[in-house]
Amino acid sequence: MGKIVISKVWDRLLLFLTDEQSHPQLIRVLTDEQEMVGSVYIGRVSEVVRGMDGAFVAVSNEQKVFLPFRECENLILTNRETEALARGEDLRQGDELVVQITSAAVKTKLPGASGNLSFTGNYCVCQSEGHGIHYSKKLSAEKIQELKQAIGSTDIPQRKCGSFTIRTNAGLLRDLVPLFQEMRQFANLLTEIRQTCMHRTVYSCLYRTETETAKALKGIPLNQYDEIVTDLPVVYRQLESLDVPAGIRLYQDDLLPLAKLYSLETHLKQALSKNVWLPGGGYLVIEPTEAMTVIDVNSGKGTNVKGGHRKHLYLNTNLEAAREIARQLKLRNLSGMIMVDFINMDSKEEEQKLLESLSKQLAADPIKTRLVDMTGLGIVEITRKKEYKPLKEYFLQDRKIV
């Protein structure tokens, strides 16, 4: 089993996962800016922009967010009847409504918002839209049936105030009490927000999200790690207040800082590098642009191979690239349009094998990622939802990054 390491590199708070060989994998940059994501406010529509299919909503005197019409189902209006709002296009300037911040600002884009409130716990996700219970696709049919029976026979007041998705972590519980506690907590929270928002003024914060450290840990199967290690007393105190199954340790060694112990700076530089080497000698060139990210796959050290072995090399290099690309998208938090130029192959069968492998790798991404298609020129199109800034943007001002 490995460790979860939280430390600072180049004045940025970073979360790494390590395996049994202490090989770190960067998971998240933790910033105060992102702690706004998940919070719930009463905002006021400052402008409806039909050409952008959305509206700008002020959540304070200084901060505006963008609310897409597609996120306007079941809006909670506080200054007029909700029934008067048939769809997002019916929003008008001056409307006061409950919104949740869903994404941080990226470059010149405002933070994103939604009228569908969503709360994520270790074992379930609760949304204000709908009333049913859904289950993670990673749970077995037998486990789903077991969970259905247990939930159905448990008293959870206000459960139908929203819909629930039972996460994979719930299937690992021997005792389901923590799951039921989370469901009750979220049901009570949704009910309280609906009741209190009608008596609060515009710009009120109805729910303040957890720290980024707590949110980042919720996306990690903590039972697969021995402990969480940090050399920062503030983070250590935050961890002590959380209910986590892994051990928590404050690392203190003036002679060997935590970042040096795990070579975190080296791994961060690799995550920001333009080139990424593959096990078989090939490499990727990753070039983010304003409109999209372009990834080029090269055969590298295998170019001297001749004859039939070359075909085998190209397919293997592409399959290695598919696995690494899926990892790099998460590592660098690349989003939007991603165009990949794989090495040309001779047969449709090999192309199909590559696309199936890539699609399987992308499906494991916790952020919505989709393989669109391969163009006539052999370029593979991928889209990935924007939730946080790309990794490189956090370090653009650092002189160490070229």
Side-chain angles (χ1 to χ4, degrees), residues 167-202:
R167 303 186 67 191
T168 309
N169 280 348
L172 303 175
L173 292 172
R174 293 183 179 179
D175 185 345
L176 295 179
V177 169
L179 168 63
F180 301 146
Q181 288 176 337
E182 274 194 355
M183 294 180 72
R184 292 188 185 101
Q185 174 190 346
F186 291 148
N188 291 336
L189 177 58
L190 270 181
T191 302
E192 182 181 354
I193 287 175
R194 286 193 172 108
Q195 291 174 348
T196 60
C197 69
M198 297 303 174
H199 310 288
R200 302 286 295 276
T201 59
V202 69

Side-chain angles (χ1 to χ4, degrees), residues 263-334:
S263 302
L264 299 185
E265 184 173 327
T266 299
H267 290 281
L268 178 57
K269 285 182 177 179
Q270 291 174 351
L272 295 165
S273 174
K274 176 180 175 180
N275 296 340
V276 179
W277 285 98
L278 301 173
Y283 65 96
L284 308 177
V285 180
I286 303 176
E287 292 274 17
T289 70
E290 188 69 26
M292 66 184 72
T293 298
V294 179
I295 302 176
D296 188 30
V297 182
N298 295 280
S299 55
K301 298 177 181 178
T303 53
N304 293 327
V305 177
K306 296 181 180 180
H309 293 293
R310 176 166 293 207
K311 293 182 182 178
H312 188 63
L313 167 73
Y314 289 166
L315 176 59
N316 281 348
T317 301
N318 280 338
L319 291 174
E320 286 182 355
R323 289 190 292 272
E324 187 61 30
I325 286 168
R327 192 179 82 88
Q328 290 293 327
L329 296 187
K330 292 183 286 186
L331 175 64
R332 299 172 185 238
N333 200 29
L334 300 174

Side-chain angles (χ1 to χ4, degrees), residues 345-360:
M345 295 176 290
D346 294 331
S347 70
K348 293 293 183 183
E349 289 77 11
E350 289 182 335
E351 287 183 0
Q352 187 60 35
K353 184 175 182 180
L354 170 62
L355 292 177
E356 289 175 358
S357 175
L358 180 58
S359 181
K360 182 179 179 181

Side-chain angles (χ1 to χ4, degrees), residues 15-47:
L15 186 151
F16 288 83
L17 302 182
T18 69
D19 57 25
E20 293 178 351
Q21 287 73 43
S22 297
H23 295 150
Q25 176 189 356
L26 176 62
I27 296 296
R28 182 80 67 83
V29 179
L30 308 175
T31 71
D32 291 338
E33 173 190 348
Q34 291 176 354
E35 289 182 14
M36 185 180 181
V37 177
S39 296
V40 178
Y41 296 85
I42 298 178
R44 177 182 286 134
V45 176
S46 59
E47 183 181 2

